[in-house]
Amino acid sequence: MPFRLHIRTTSYSASGLLQLDPATLTLPHEQEAAGFARQWLQGEEQFTVQTSGSTGAPKPIALSRVHMQASARLTLEALGLDSGDPALLCMNPAYIGGKMMVVRAIEGALPLYLLPPSANPFPELLALGVQPLFTALVPLQLQAILADAQSLRLLQDMKAVIIGGAPVSPALEEALQQVKAPLYSTYGMTETVSHIALRRLNGPQRQEYFVALPQIGLETDERGCLRISGPVTPKPVQTNDVVELLDSRRFRWLGRADNIINSGGIKVQAERVEAETQRCLASLGLSRRLLAGPLPDEQLGQKVALLLEGDRLESSVEKGLLRCLSNALPPYWAPKQILYVARLVESANGKIMRHASWQQL
């Protein structure tokens, strides 16, 4: 089955896209997706993609067609997707996650349905009478889908769903056990042409670690940070991601080296504090977006603090949370203070911007 791009009630074949002027489309995400698909179908060999800015200043990165094709092929094979399987693009097509959905659809001959990025795009699918078998979501979209019975039914019948853009919280991961469709957390970045490893989140095949796609090489440097090689990149990519490398294909992601808090000589990984905080909040019947980070301290140099989104917790709840964290975390890792902001700062594609969020204080 040949590739087709479905935009609202109009379906474009490859030849139709080549003749289409994307500027005639109404919405920015339609123009972006159709414009990129047109460039790909015209055979362009290099594409400039902007990083999200979630781990540093946004910057343009040049990616080659051959590496993007290799990434798409590896994902299609790993997920068992077949020609004709309908796919859904409901994230920002200006960034690598959205662009690679277009590449996978073209290279795999998947009909691609385009919807505007929103908290829950599935009601529009219901109106169109479409059941996609493959999509990519961010955790916030997944939470909204789980809360809507009709949307959840669409999710249940999918063949594969990949989830990226932010870590999946422990509470959300537990909620995903009601879903029978295979759900995968992704690990990757713009420099590696989206994900290079997957972690099954639900069902009997649920995993606690990421598994690299075939042909992807994994190593660590002296800091314990992951180095990636393979057909998706012209040279090895050295990351700042601290991992526990289990073998040549499996690893546990621990956090970023630049998010380590040095508290009195004790190195505290912010992401582990965040994950344990989510678990403790869930045990108290609560769910919040949050960050862990350092605050200046005269004795320790830095002390561990939490930044919670939303209203201040009641004093008794705060005490219960801190007590839970003292029991759950290694000695001297527990936060010393909880701070609040109305909303954490997000990038254009919905990723939490750590530095900018703390700067609100």
Side-chain angles (χ1 to χ4, degrees):
M1 179 181 290
F3 162 78
R4 297 189 75 88
L5 179 62
H6 300 265
I7 302 178
R8 288 179 282 174
T9 57
T10 305
S11 175
Y12 297 93
S13 64
S15 59
L17 280 170
L18 287 170
Q19 297 171 22
L20 175 69
D21 178 2
T24 61
L25 297 172
T26 306
L27 300 174
H29 75 279
E30 297 173 348
Q31 297 171 359
E32 183 72 40
F36 174 71
R38 192 167 180 267
Q39 289 178 306
W40 188 268
L41 292 165
Q42 287 172 332
E44 292 201 19
E45 293 294 330
Q46 188 162 299
F47 303 85
T48 300
V49 182
Q50 191 85 359
T51 63
S52 66
S54 60
T55 59
K59 60 182 179 181
I61 291 180
L63 300 176
S64 77
R65 183 185 188 89
V66 66
H67 296 137
M68 296 171 84
Q69 283 177 317
S71 174
R73 176 177 52 79
L74 291 176
T75 296
L76 291 166
E77 291 177 1
L79 298 180
L81 297 171
D82 299 312
S83 171
D85 287 345
L88 167 67
L89 171 54
C90 55
M91 57 174 50
N92 192 337
Y95 293 94
I96 189 63
K99 290 187 187 300
M100 285 307 300
M101 283 298 294
V102 175
V103 177
R104 294 174 198 127
I106 296 175
E107 295 296 307
L110 313 178
L112 183 63
Y113 291 83
L114 177 65
L115 292 178
S118 64
N120 181 6
F122 281 23
E124 290 195 48
L125 287 174
L126 291 164
L128 293 170
V130 173
Q131 171 64 63
L133 295 182
F134 171 52
T135 193
L137 301 170
V138 299
L140 281 176
Q141 288 175 316
L142 199 52
Q143 285 179 321
I145 289 165
L146 291 179
D148 180 73
Q150 287 186 308
S151 297
L152 179 56
R153 279 195 288 272
L154 281 180
L155 184 68
Q156 294 281 21
D157 290 333
M158 288 198 177
K159 197 172 184 177
V161 179
I162 53 177
I163 300 132
V168 175
S169 72
L172 177 57
E173 187 166 336
E174 286 306 314
L176 296 179
Q177 302 318 305
Q178 65 183 295
V179 181
K180 65 180 182 181
L183 308 175
Y184 298 90
S185 178
T186 61
Y187 172 84
M189 59 209 71
T190 306
E191 292 86 344
T192 59
V193 197
S194 78
H195 59 264
I196 55 88
L198 300 171
R199 179 171 78 89
R200 177 70 182 263
L201 293 172
N202 65 326
Q205 296 173 296
R206 183 180 181 184
Q207 297 163 317
E208 294 182 353
Y209 47 81
F210 285 97
V211 180
L213 298 176
Q215 303 176 50
I216 298 295
L218 304 176
E219 299 176 294
T220 53
D221 67 5
E222 65 281 357
R223 302 170 300 160
C225 290
L226 193 63
R227 183 184 296 118
I228 302 161
S229 59
V232 298
T233 178
K235 60 182 181 180
V237 173
Q238 179 60 60
T239 76
N240 281 324
D241 289 315
V242 182
V243 302
E244 178 187 355
L245 193 60
L246 302 175
D247 56 35
S248 62
R249 294 197 62 218
R250 301 180 304 151
F251 64 93
R252 288 190 180 94
W253 181 79
L254 304 179
R256 288 185 58 82
D258 39 7
N259 292 338
I260 291 175
I261 305 161
N262 191 333
S263 184
I266 304 294
K267 293 183 178 179
V268 178
Q269 189 68 59
E271 289 88 350
R272 181 172 173 189
V273 177
E274 291 162 3
E276 293 296 347
T277 304
Q278 293 284 9
R279 289 189 181 94
C280 285
L281 283 171
S283 73
L284 297 169
L286 299 171
S287 177
R288 292 282 186 96
R289 295 204 304 171
L290 58 93
L291 293 171
L295 288 179
D297 185 87
E298 287 187 8
Q299 287 186 318
L300 300 172
Q302 293 179 332
K303 65 181 179 182
V304 183
L306 288 176
L307 185 64
L308 267 62
E309 184 178 74
D311 295 334
R312 179 178 293 275
L313 299 175
E314 292 182 7
S315 176
S316 60
V317 177
E318 270 198 8
K319 289 177 182 177
L321 174 59
L322 293 174
R323 187 165 52 249
C324 177
L325 288 169
S326 292
N327 293 330
L329 290 166
Y332 310 110
W333 279 45
K336 302 292 191 291
Q337 189 173 353
I338 301 177
L339 304 165
Y340 299 86
V341 290
R343 188 167 180 83
L344 298 175
V345 179
E346 297 178 357
S347 66
N349 63 339
K351 292 185 179 182
I352 293 175
M353 301 184 72
R354 186 177 293 270
H355 183 65
S357 293
W358 280 99
Q359 280 189 320
Q360 294 181 95
L361 297 175

